[in-house]
Amino acid sequence: MVNSGQTNTAQLVAMLNERAAVNVKLALVGNAQRWQLHHGQVTLDDDTSLQEQAWRYSTATFLESRLPGPMVAALLRGEEQDIDGIRVVCPGPPSATASTYRLRGREEWDRVSTPWPRTEWTISRDTNAAHPGYGLLVGDGPSFLNFDHALSAFLHQRPYDPTTNRADLWRITLPQRAGWLSQITIRPDLLTAVIDGEDLHGAELELSWAAGHQIHPVDGAGTYPFPLPHGLAHDSLLMLRRDGQWLDWRSFPPPAYGRARDASVVWERPGPELELLLANGEGQHLECKQEVPEGESRKKMLKTIAAFASQDGGTVLIGVRDDLQIVGLPEEPNVDKQVLQVVGMIRDNVEPVPSYDPRVIDHDGKKVLALEVSGGGQMYAYRNGQRAEFYVRVGPNTVPARHHEIAAGFQRTPTTTTF
């Protein structure tokens, strides 16, 4: 089975028609007489929890309900339907095909991840569809600044992210629970994989890398060990498979800090994680410092932190030389004081203060401070006296942001920032 492609919409209609009921979330725009579908989310699964609810406003309605499969199939075909006492219509003629994605467990796509793999189909919205507008939403439901904020809360229970674009009219999800990797623990000399699933008959678990591979037959849910006499190779791939098809898988690339972590992968000893991070050297998302910097070196580090936060995140490692040799933090002052020193630098010199996680990694008795900076979806400034300076990351270099980059950054900023 391919991981992405196209599916005829008629196949999805047939799939819905075969189901007695499905879980549905509908976001509608319009008025009391006529409501047009803005986004529909369907889960083809009887085990997924459902909260029956309806948020009603003068220009928008959000419904979560369990509906008959044939009713949702008719709506997908473009036929008007009476749902929860209102008339729901679809914008424009139905699309002939849907984009298809097969996703592994814990893979986040469009702000959604699940422990198990899943197949998702999306159908894009007609560009001529009614626009939801940007006015305040006050009514029979929580109040919101505008439709986009309400939609994010309704679908994901998360704050609105201006960098995401909800361009799909339909999103249909089918969980794949035959088998999945619920947790992988990595030690310097051992990898253990915990497998769960509803149908593991005939499955096998494979750990492969460029120089070889190991295979475990799977006789049911449980824990399966893989000795690592030479440590975990940088190009390792762990795959749960059956009959030439994958059920679930994980790879272990250098961690991309500042981005969502895979909660199923546990580095019991962080040394191997640090080695993977350093495998590709300094670059777009990694900067190394031998010790807590002073003078011009301190300014450069703070500018880099502002650049990471203004783009898609990154990590500063303190206790690592430019040649990637791990030397560790100096013994004096103690590690806690050095962490507080760096935290104070960021608080006093980067505006607004970005989201970051200071983490001390113990590697062969040497302590390294990792500053994992999240991308904030807006511009962050290095405060140089009374002047706010903006920077971006270009490969391994931090450079002043150009006017158009600054303007683009502030256009995606959700709230006004005052300097």
Side-chain angles (χ1 to χ4, degrees), residues 8 15 29 38 40 89 92 121 188 216 263 284-285 337 356 358 382 394:
N8 193 300
M15 190 184 306
V29 296
H38 179 79
V89 300
W121 297 270
H216 262 307
Q284 184 77 18
H285 303 289
K337 287 185 177 179
Y356 69 98
Y382 166 67
V394 179

Side-chain angles (χ1 to χ4, degrees), residues 129-145:
H131 196 279
Y134 293 104
L136 288 168
L137 293 185
V138 182
D140 187 10
S143 299
F144 292 98
L145 184 63

Side-chain angles (χ1 to χ4, degrees), residues 228-280:
L228 302 174
H230 305 293
L232 182 69
H234 297 158
D235 57 349
S236 295
L237 174 66
L238 182 66
M239 181 170 291
L240 180 63
R241 67 186 198 182
R242 178 173 56 201
D243 298 331
Q245 301 288 339
W246 64 265
L247 300 177
D248 200 5
W249 60 271
R250 298 291 187 277
S251 63
F252 309 96
Y257 292 127
R259 302 176 185 179
R261 287 193 178 199
D262 186 339
S264 66
V265 180
V266 177
W267 299 85
E268 190 162 283
R269 181 181 169 194
E273 183 187 19
L274 183 59
E275 291 172 356
L276 283 178
L277 178 61
L278 293 171
N280 291 336

Side-chain angles (χ1 to χ4, degrees), residues 255-409:
Y257 292 127
R259 302 176 185 179
R261 287 193 178 199
D262 186 339
S264 66
V265 180
V266 177
W267 299 85
E268 190 162 283
R269 181 181 169 194
E273 183 187 19
L274 183 59
E275 291 172 356
L276 283 178
L277 178 61
L278 293 171
N280 291 336
E282 288 187 304
Q284 184 77 18
H285 303 289
L286 181 65
E287 177 85 4
C288 297
K289 296 291 182 183
Q290 181 170 334
E291 58 188 3
V292 177
E294 299 288 343
E296 286 300 317
S297 181
R298 173 183 293 189
K299 292 180 181 179
K300 290 180 180 179
M301 182 188 75
L302 293 167
K303 292 173 182 178
T304 295
I305 290 172
F308 283 156
S310 297
Q311 294 173 291
D312 54 356
T315 299
V316 176
L317 293 177
I318 303 177
V320 180
R321 295 195 318 221
D322 290 343
D323 61 3
L324 306 184
Q325 292 300 306
I326 300 171
V327 296
L329 296 168
E331 294 183 4
E332 296 295 337
N334 66 42
V335 171
D336 289 342
K337 287 185 177 179
Q338 293 178 71
V339 173
L340 289 174
Q341 184 182 358
V342 173
V343 168
M345 290 180 199
I346 298 172
R347 182 186 64 242
D348 295 339
N349 295 278
V350 181
E351 296 184 2
V353 176
S355 175
Y356 69 98
D357 180 22
R359 189 164 66 98
V360 177
I361 298 174
D362 193 342
H363 180 77
D364 292 336
K366 299 173 183 177
K367 296 187 184 300
V368 174
L369 173 57
L371 299 171
E372 305 174 3
V373 184
S374 299
Q378 66 178 77
M379 292 302 292
Y380 291 77
Y382 166 67
R383 172 66 71 181
N384 187 0
Q386 297 300 312
R387 188 171 69 252
E389 299 176 356
F390 299 93
Y391 294 87
V392 294
R393 193 75 169 169
V394 179
N397 301 310
T398 299
V399 300
R402 297 178 178 178
H403 291 301
H404 74 273
E405 292 170 324
I406 297 172

